[in-house]
Amino acid sequence: MPATTLTNSYDAAFVAEVRRESEQNLALCYQCGNCTAGCPVSFAYDFPVNQIMYLVQTGRKMEALTSHAIWLCASCETCTTRCPNDIDVARVMDVLRHMARRENLVAEHSIHAFWNSFLSSVERYGRVFELGLMASYIGKTGRVLTDADLAPVALRKGKLTFKPHDIHGVAEVRDIFKRYREHRS
Amino acid sequence: MSRRYAYYPGCSGQGTSREYDSSTRAMCQELGFELIDIPDWNCCGSTPAHAVDHLLSASLVARNLAIAEDMDVEGIVTPCPSCLKNLKTSQHRMLRPEFHQEVQRVLGRAVRADLPIKSVLQVLVEDRGIGWIAQQATAPLTGLKVVPYYGCIMNRPPDVMRFDDPENPMALDNLLTAIGAEVLPFALKTDCCGASLGTTRRDVVARLSGRVLDAAAAAGADAIVTACPLCQMNLDMRQAQINKANGSSHRLPVFYYSQLIMLATGQQGERVGLDKLCVSPFSLLESLGPQAGEVRS
Amino acid sequence: MNIGVFVCHCGSNIAGTVDTVAVAKAALAYPEVVFATDTMYACSEPGQAGIIEAVQKYELDGVVVASCTPRMHEATFRRTVERAGLNRYMFEMANIREHVSWIGKDKDANTNKAAELVHIAVEKLRRNTELTAGEFTINKRVMVIGGGVAGIQAALDCADGGLEVVLVEREPSIGGKMSKLDKTFPTVDCSSCILGPRMVDIAQNPNITLYTLSEVESVDGFVGNFDVKVRRKAAYVDWTLCTGCGECAAKCPSKKTPDRFNEFIGKTTAINIPFPQAIPKKASINAAACLMLTKGKCGACVKACPAGAIQFKQEDEIVTEQVGAVIVATGYDLFDFTQYGEYGGGRYPDVITSMQYERLLSASGPTEGHIKRPSDGKEPKDIVFIQCVGSRDKSIGRPYCSGFCCMYTAKQTILTKDHLPESQSYVFYMDIRSPGKGYDEFIRRAMEEYGARYIRGRVSAIQPKNGRYLIKGVNTLMGDQVEIEADLVVLAVGAEAAKGAPQLAEKLRISYDTYGFYMEGHPKLKPVETNTAGIYLAGSCQGPKDIPSSVAQGGAAASKVLGLFSKDKLASDPQVSSVSLQRCIGCAKCQSVCPFGAIEMTQFRGMTKASVIATVCQGCGNCTSACPQGAIQLSHFTDNQILAEVHALCPY
């Protein structure tokens, strides 16, 4: 493992940004590990969640934002529920994904692609259209066998429709996306 | 006395969890709840929205809240914990005035964001009470051994959700006991099934949901009972996938609690939607004998 | 009046941000100031000599020192002016350090503010009068509240010093938490073997009156003369007759009574002597469990008792004790872990507290010193210890470290290995806190010699699995999740303030912190005093402490009481209120706001008037602000003096 030069590894602007966007003060964290202890996805992480918190505490921006862990977080809120210092850990994970996305540092492309497809579906129809979502996702990732085994079952049970569930106010939903993009640009 | 609530079905209720939606509507009708769909509701954005931007997520939620505010109702209810968490979290964040303002700008209209938002399970337990529900169970599910599976976010984070115990919730336990089922202790009742990674990381889901199935089987359960459409889909529709990945051979029916309440109150038929379950429950229900009603596929 | 003003530099503490020369110069313009100077350290020997010299040279009648807070040096300078031949109350202090130089950097503004504070002091001093302290006699008896190891030490030291002691204990026996422990760290010596003789000393010392099963009901009076009412709760046994033979317990049919002494591991009888070494060794009845007292039929103990001591009709009794000082040693209670759902919330029989584990280890405990699981009585093989359960957790309002859990957990792993050589202990910890003498070496021994496996991390879940428990957690040093299958889980529950601590504090008029622990007079310099004269603290009631610290504090509190009682009379503070009979209209508002009960309503020529009991008055001034007539005035802080100060600051 390469040595970290602490003299210049602390990115104060990054620490401040996480604090502002998440409304959480990571200085409160004393690294007990409760968050990792209860994390259901930790086995798949590159950094356990307490180490992600440590990277934020110590201002190590690139390591935090390029981690896979922030994308794999299932938002189950166990960490937030158990933190002895009342840090909303899951919210910090959310904010790190927001930042990684903005800075094009996405480590888990398929998850990112799925979310984009999902939101496109919402923007287009107002509600999620599963078949359209899957087609879009497969188009983005080339993963043609995704849940191919489930489709026949779902169709047989009447749980998949070929028609999107669009709503009358879809224009309002599209406007939300439009104003949101203007607000963020 | 009938209670009036704005109903937010959630997208999965129109697709993968149709039977949860139909059995919930039927159950509420039977138990004296008037559910009025939020007209022209839109998707809350689910995990993808909050993982991308909290403002986008809250704005998608806020459109539904704003519509519901024009209805003459006590509050908003939804059967889906994932929708519930998004609705409640966005409402909670809008307590901060600057964020509330931002959301209204993006939404393009005013929203008060002050209606009570609860799960259908919560209003059932709080408005009607376990004792009353027990009295309605004319066809109790005697002999049915179940584990209740709440999933991770029905009660979490506690500061936002404000319902039941975040580590050991009991609402489903009590409800299922009240309708005659034998509820087995289930240590994994609030563990995560990995729903948000369902499509993208099957390996994660196979492990997390597999653990839930293993524990339910080890506990001696005949079936799992859920209150979450995402959990149910993982455990039921993906059960074969999970078996394949883990080398297991579970065949555990995974009910929605609303389906079991319907059975216990002597209701059957299309609205209960038992035929929509991927792992068929019929042989299990038939083995219980006549009390569970003349259940047929 | 000739007034002298001395403006202190306090090295650079004040002079760094205040122009002290300019302040002294400004002071010369204030009325009646005939002399003013700046001085490097007013409190130093040459500084004080300079004040005395100036008093004599300029025939000063009063002195103002502008320096630090009166809490620091008011007493010092009062002695200085006394040595110079003035009355000690002809002195005023202007705080230009804490109130000026330490809190602002603007030198001009600071200098102005300092000069104004000096002006205020001068205007007050001009209206000061000479005051003389009275004297009052003191009652040289002491009450010790709490019979744990700290209270026992305090009581024995006071008694050995010749004082009469009243020791009050809530439980049926003295001994406190220490009497429940099996062994003590870091020496692993037997707890009851070292505490037992001290308990016997208490029983046998003729200077000590022991009230167990008793609680303080009310406290009146003041230092030297407290009246304390003590409620002696009904034991339903006449202790003057009871010989402690135990025949009653042997015959009691109510054998499923929750056993408080054994931390509810195991059962006891409704009538019992809590443990073999109990002092006093007397039986008492748990009324809630007694068949006679609940259902009106039984009486097995009456038949069994050879002394005829059982008295079902016994009632609580209130006794009043007059004492001159009180030592509070009420100890602590254990955190209720059931609010942690991830540890099972109390649902699992083999997830127990560290104190319950002590009772399993103890030869006088419910398993006679054999470690057995509460669920099935089997010997455990794998035992998991979890530290910081209810300590260092802000989310549940317990942000503090309980201080002793790291040590007792290490001790318990060592004892576990001694009892069960085939066993394996695992300890989940966050940080090891072992700063005492020989403490860290002890922790090392647990790991090095006894093979306790320490895992830096927390536990997320305890789940039953095939008659054992699956413990899931994290190893933060490796960043991986870990699982252990164990037979028994021991939670190192933290310390919290004793139940009822705030209520007792209010009776005693002492302060307590957010968590209910009692406040010492000064965190460094007055560790066993309180801010109420004559009331002292010892042991964990002030904050969690281990045995040596508690014993040291018990001794320290005793020495404070012996020091106080070394005088036959105490000086009364002359800064007390007095009533002008002409102005008083007898409305009794002053009486209703007095927190010390120092005001009584008397009849004077057929009219109701207030009257101050000078020895009880603490000089708080509540009455003077409540009086609608200005009839009640506090010496040294009269309305005129305070208004003069205000007027100096706001002349327009």
Side-chain angles (χ1 to χ4, degrees), chain B residues 284-296:
Chain B
L284 167 64
L285 292 173
E286 275 156 19
S287 74
L288 297 179
Q291 301 101 312
E294 304 90 54
V295 178
R296 267 180 271 287

Side-chain angles (χ1 to χ4, degrees), chain C residues 476-533:
Chain C
T476 56
L477 295 181
M478 284 307 292
D480 59 354
Q481 291 176 321
V482 292
E483 293 185 349
I484 302 170
E485 278 190 36
D487 305 290
L488 186 66
V489 181
V490 180
L491 305 177
V493 287
E496 62 184 22
K499 280 170 196 71
Q503 290 76 5
L504 179 62
E506 278 151 29
K507 289 174 188 164
L508 292 162
R509 296 189 294 272
I510 60 175
S511 327
Y512 54 95
D513 66 18
T514 326
Y515 314 109
F517 291 115
Y518 298 147
M519 296 285 284
E520 63 281 9
H522 186 282
K524 292 158 197 89
L525 302 177
K526 291 182 176 175
V528 296
E529 292 93 324
T530 65
N531 282 327
T532 302

Side-chain angles (χ1 to χ4, degrees), chain A residues 28 30-43 47-48 50-51 78 81-86, chain C residues 342-343 391-396 429-431 456-461 472-474 476-481:
Chain A
L28 298 176
Y30 57 44
Q31 285 295 327
C32 66
N34 247 334
C35 49
T36 299
C39 175
V41 205
S42 202
F43 70 90
F47 290 101
N50 72 297
Q51 290 184 5
T78 307
T81 304
R82 302 252 179 90
C83 176
N85 295 306
D86 286 330
Chain C
E342 59 266 48
Y343 303 148
S391 300
R392 302 181 65 198
D393 188 339
K394 197 158 58 174
S395 69
I396 53 148
Y429 73 101
M430 283 202 264
D431 299 291
R456 194 204 176 279
R458 301 294 287 165
V459 166
S460 70
K472 297 179 178 175
V474 62
T476 56
L477 295 181
M478 284 307 292
D480 59 354
Q481 291 176 321

